């Protein structure tokens, strides 16, 4: 018999009762250090007092009114995002996939308004992940996710990642935008090189194609800058973000320049829930913390400590970890054994992590974690390594 909750996820047999910072207490009494953070979403950790107070206060006043009325919390959030990024205007929605859908719509509409209604195609990267709606499955392009869902939505083509000549060759008179993640998350924490991003910017300037960045996972402080593209010194024309923006409360956003956004007049796009007072109050509370002087520097300091400790662990256990990847607190450890086994051993050692493609263990802790949390996480990972080595040697012994 099928479970009442549809079995689309292979869930760990764990439920949590309470969280605090980077820690989660399970209903069986065990305490876990949370380096999954709701898949890079709980940016302030669990039960952050400022976020809890903002949500509680807003819920007690007015939660939802629809976009038929002004939403001061959303106006404030948009002003802050505009003040701190390349963007001139912001559209709020509820998830990463929804933000990406809107991003593609806006890119096409901007091309139409620029006199190029034929420019509808989006160039995407091999290994991309853009979400699970029908169009974003086509943008993702992974056959595993497309199976059984009919013809992929038209208008998305794929090129090798980090290959500027391949992108150049793929541009046609029908190209509207180039869409990519500054660091591919789901497919294994693979970074676009700064040179590639800068070359894409130049290519877009030259051809009138729009640069559309998916910062759903890399955004909102995850890499130690407010948005990851800032490390490369470039700006996109349009960008999506979501995961960490609400600190665990669902909210997504599309940020665009005036040139791209000017076509988005009343009636051209919409959402019932998007940007409601509660979601915007949560995101404003997250920004209060992230934009406080020194906070992003602290993220970089924590990341540097983790890098140092993890490099030592990788050097110590080359038969378990073959490489460290990533930037800031978006960290990947490529595994030698199947990553599922490493994730399981880490969980048994009291550390929650996520897997990613390319046999990579993904570490995406809350941005607020302490130095002690960093040390404790790597100590727990070292215990997991010992477990794996012991179990592997037992299995291998008879063959030796
Ligand atoms: C998670 C993710 C998405 C999808 O976000 P949802 O909120 O699950 O729809 C899209 N793009 C990237 C880069 C992501 O990491």
């Amino acid at each position: 018999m099928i479970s009442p909750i549809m079995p689309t996820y292979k869930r760990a047999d764990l439920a949590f009762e309470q969280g605090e910072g980077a820690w989660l207490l399970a209903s069986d009494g065990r305490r876990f250090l949370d380096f999954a953070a709701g898949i890079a979403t709980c940016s302030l950790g669990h039960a952050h007092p400022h976020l809890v107070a903002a949500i509680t206060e807003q819920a007690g006043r007015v939660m939802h009114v629809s976009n038929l009325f002004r939403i001061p919390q959303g106006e404030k959030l948009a002003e802050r995002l505009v003040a701190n990024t390349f963007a001139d205007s912001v559209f709020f929605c509820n998830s990463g996939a929804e933000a990406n859908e809107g991003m593609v719509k806006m890119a096409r509409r901007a091309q139409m308004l620029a006199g190029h209604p034929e420019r509808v195609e989006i160039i995407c990267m091999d290994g991309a992940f853009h979400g699970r709606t029908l169009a974003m499955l086509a943008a993702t392009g992974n056959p595993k996710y497309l199976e059984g869902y009919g013809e992929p939505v038209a208008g998305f083509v794929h090129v090798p990642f980090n290959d500027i000549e391949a992108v150049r060759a793929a541009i046609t008179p029908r190209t509207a935008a180039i869409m990519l993640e500054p660091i591919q998350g789901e497919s294994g924490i693979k970074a676009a090189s700064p040179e590639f991003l800068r070359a894409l910017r130049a290519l877009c300037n030259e051809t009138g194609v729009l640069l559309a960045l998916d910062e759903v996972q890399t955004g909102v402080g995850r890499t130690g800058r407010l948005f990851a593209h800032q490390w490369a010194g470039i700006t996109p024309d349009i960008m999506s973000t979501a995961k960490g923006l609400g600190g665990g409360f669902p909210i997504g956003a599309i940020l665009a320049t005036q040139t791209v956004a000017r076509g988005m007049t009343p009636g051209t796009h919409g959402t019932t829930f998007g940007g409601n007072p509660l979601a915007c109050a949560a995101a404003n509370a997250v920004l209060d913390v992230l934009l406080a002087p020194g906070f992003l520097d602290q993220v970089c300091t924590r990341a540097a400590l983790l890098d140092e400790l993890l490099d030592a662990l990788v050097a110590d256990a080359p038969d378990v970890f073959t490489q460290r990847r990533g930037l800031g607190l978006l960290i990947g450890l490529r595994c030698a054994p199947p990553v599922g086994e490493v994730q399981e051993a880490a969980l048994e050692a009291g550390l929650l992590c996520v897997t990613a493609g390319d046999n990579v263990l993904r570490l995406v802790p809350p941005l607020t974690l302490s130095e002690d949390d960093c040390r404790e996480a790597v100590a727990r990972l070292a215990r997991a390594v010992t477990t794996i080595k012991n179990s592997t040697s037992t299995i291998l012994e008879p063959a030796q």
Side-chain angles (χ1 to χ4, degrees):
M1 261 264 278
I2 195 164
S3 51
I5 187 155
M6 209 175 277
T8 51
Y9 281 90
K10 202 173 124 217
R11 296 169 193 270
D13 187 17
L14 262 183
F16 303 104
E17 284 184 348
Q18 178 78 55
E20 190 186 347
W23 292 85
L24 277 173
L25 177 67
S27 42
D28 62 9
R30 285 188 290 170
R31 282 183 86 224
F32 292 90
L33 195 45
D34 185 11
F35 271 47
I39 318 190
T41 292
C42 306
S43 41
L44 304 189
H46 301 284
H48 191 284
H50 184 62
L51 179 59
V52 172
I55 290 173
T56 311
E57 211 259 338
Q58 190 59 52
R61 287 173 184 273
V62 58
M63 208 180 297
H64 179 82
V65 296
S66 88
N67 286 299
L68 302 177
F69 304 96
R70 286 184 63 176
I71 299 174
Q73 299 79 5
E75 290 173 16
K76 178 178 170 189
L77 181 60
E79 278 164 19
R80 299 171 90 185
L81 289 171
V82 164
N84 286 281
T85 67
F86 72 96
D88 301 310
S89 197
V90 185
F91 179 91
F92 294 116
C93 56
N94 306 283
S95 70
E98 191 187 356
N100 284 335
E101 288 273 340
M103 180 159 79
V104 167
K105 285 175 71 175
M106 286 181 202
R108 287 179 176 172
R109 196 170 169 83
Q111 292 291 7
M112 181 195 77
L113 288 171
H116 293 290
E118 74 287 357
R119 289 191 170 195
V120 293
E121 239 168 50
I122 312 295
I123 297 177
C124 303
M125 303 296 138
D126 289 344
F129 182 81
H130 297 302
R132 301 289 200 140
T133 57
L134 283 168
M136 287 312 109
L137 283 182
T140 294
N142 185 337
K144 192 176 82 183
Y145 297 147
L146 281 157
E147 193 192 342
Y149 298 132
E151 268 312 296
V153 170
F156 299 91
V157 299
H158 287 83
V159 297
F161 192 39
N162 274 325
D163 183 343
I164 191 67
E165 287 317 314
V167 180
R168 185 185 294 278
I171 291 178
T172 73
R174 286 172 43 80
T175 306
I178 299 164
M179 175 173 173
L180 76 157
E181 302 150 81
I183 301 172
Q184 292 187 338
E186 303 295 317
S187 74
I189 320 297
K190 296 175 182 165
S193 72
E195 299 74 40
F196 182 59
L197 289 173
R198 287 194 281 265
L200 285 177
R201 181 66 271 174
L203 187 58
C204 286
N205 292 350
E206 185 190 312
T207 55
V209 167
L210 297 169
L211 184 58
L213 292 182
D214 176 347
E215 291 231 28
V216 168
Q217 187 158 175
T218 53
V220 202
R222 177 56 51 191
T223 68
R225 302 291 288 267
L226 195 53
F227 290 98
H229 67 263
Q230 295 173 312
W231 289 111
I234 58 134
T235 59
D237 299 294
I238 185 164
M239 177 181 81
S240 59
T241 195
K243 285 191 168 83
L245 183 58
F249 197 92
I251 180 169
I254 307 162
L255 288 75
T257 62
Q258 167 140 10
T259 314
V260 173
R262 75 198 151 116
M264 304 314 291
T265 49
T268 51
H269 192 47
T271 166
T272 299
F273 289 118
N276 81 14
L278 190 57
C280 291
N284 273 316
V286 169
L287 287 192
D288 289 342
V289 174
L290 257 64
L291 297 175
F295 182 82
L296 290 175
D297 293 335
Q298 183 191 292
V299 169
C300 293
T301 309
R302 296 285 182 273
L305 174 61
L306 275 172
D307 285 353
E308 185 193 319
L309 297 170
L310 289 170
D311 281 347
L313 182 67
V314 171
D316 238 31
D319 38 356
V320 177
F321 297 122
T322 57
Q323 192 190 32
R324 175 179 64 78
R325 298 171 175 174
L327 186 60
L329 294 175
L330 179 54
I331 304 167
L333 295 177
R334 187 142 197 265
C335 300
V339 62
E341 287 173 22
V342 182
Q343 182 195 31
E344 179 66 30
L347 185 143
E348 287 307 321
L351 178 71
L352 306 176
C353 335
V354 196
T355 63
D358 206 22
N359 211 40
V360 163
L361 189 71
R362 183 169 20 162
L363 307 177
V364 280
L367 307 182
T368 49
L369 87 172
S370 70
E371 240 181 67
D372 283 349
D373 294 336
C374 296
R375 295 186 194 284
E376 184 59 30
V378 179
R380 289 179 181 216
L381 206 49
R383 289 219 293 280
V385 164
T386 308
T387 315
I388 291 163
K389 280 184 173 168
N390 289 341
S391 67
T392 314
S393 59
T394 329
I395 295 162
L396 290 183
E397 230 155 23
Q400 279 169 352

